[in-house]
Amino acid sequence: MKKSSNRPKLLPLAICGSLTVFPVFGTLGGTVPGGTTPKTLFAFIPDVAEVPIAQDTSEPRELPLIDPNAEDPVDLEPQDWVDFEPQGVESASEDLKFEQVMEGAMSKNLSRRPLSEIISLVAEQFIGTPYVAGLLDKSPDETLVISLAGFDCVLFIETVLAIARGIAVRDYTYLGFSDRVEQQRYRDGKLTDYCSRLHYFSDWIYDNSKRGLLQNITPSLGGIPLNKTLNFMTEHRQSYPQLADDGNYNCIRQVEAKLKNVPLTYIPQDKISTLYDRLQPGDIIATATDIEGLDVSHTGLVYQSQDGKMGFIHASPSGQVTVSPDLQSYVQAVEGQIGIIVARPLDTRPERPDTLPSF
C-alpha cells in the first residue's frame, strides 16, 4: 500500500474529498468577512504554564508546557516548534512536517491532554496549508493517499484526527499515523478498492461511529430529518473517473441503496448559534446541503475563539486552511449550505487525562 503526494489533474468541478459540487452553487468553504489567514504555518512556542483556549484567529495557538516532572514516557527535552512554510505537495516537506508536529507534541506533553484539546491544537498547526483538490482521485487504482502539505476539506479532517489520536496514545510513528488514516477513510477500517472508501460523509460518520471512533451528536442537539436519497455519485457518473468502470459504478449504487437505511439529521443554519455552549473544540462539522442527491458539501472542525465564540477551522477551497470566526455566519454565507451535522471524536484511551486543567 503506498501513499500518493503528486499534484493531481483537477476536474472542471469544485471537489472537496469525495464531495463534488457544481460551481453554480458558489465557492464552498470561503472565509466569511472577519476570517483571517496567517502568513506562516508555525509560530515559536514560549514556555508557559497555561494559555487561553485560543489566542485569536490570526496565528496557530501556542502550546502549554505541562509539568516536566509528570510521568511521561517521552525523554525529549522541551523545545520550540520551528517555522515551516508550505512548499506544495511534496513527500520531503510532508516528512518534515510530520516530524515537526510530533516533536512539538512530545516536547509539550500533549498526550496528557483531553483528545478534544489535542485535536484543536494539531488543527491550528496547519493554518495556512494550501487547499488542493482531487488528491484522493488522481490514480485509477485506489491507494492510501496521505498529504500534509496540501488538503481538501475531508483530507484535512482525517489528517488532524489521525495525528491527534496518535499523540493521545503516545504513538508518534508515521506507520501508526498512516494506519489511522486508513481506519478512518475506509469501510470497516480497511482499504480494499475504490468502493471501500467512505465517499458520502454521512456514511463516513456512520461507519466510524459504528467502530467506536466518534459519535454523531446531531440528534441529541435537536437535529431534524434530512430527507434525501443519496445518489449524487451515480447520477453524476461522468464527474468521477473511477465510475467509468462498471464494477465500481455498480458497487457505489449498492452503497447508495444501503444508505437509505441510515437516518440523516441536521441542525438548521439559524439554530447553530443556540448550540455553542454544547459544542466543543475539535467537534467535526459537516455542512448539510440542498444539492439534490448529496448530503454534505463541506467539512471542518469546531474552533473556539478567546471570547468563547464557536468558529470553523477548515481547508477552504478559496485557498488554504483558515479559520472562519463564527460558525453560524460561515454556514449562512455560503450558498447551498442549509445547516450542519455534528460528530464528536471519542477518546478511546483506557485512562483519559480529563482531570488536567484546560488551557
Side-chain angles (χ1 to χ4, degrees), residues 273-290:
S273 62
T274 67
L275 304 174
Y276 283 174
D277 61 343
R278 299 171 65 184
L279 300 178
Q280 66 183 29
D283 281 349
I284 300 166
I285 298 294
T287 60
T289 180
D290 61 7

Side-chain angles (χ1 to χ4, degrees), residues 64-77:
L65 177 62
I66 299 173
D67 181 7
N69 297 316
E71 292 185 6
D72 194 283
V74 179
D75 296 326
L76 209 67
E77 289 294 325

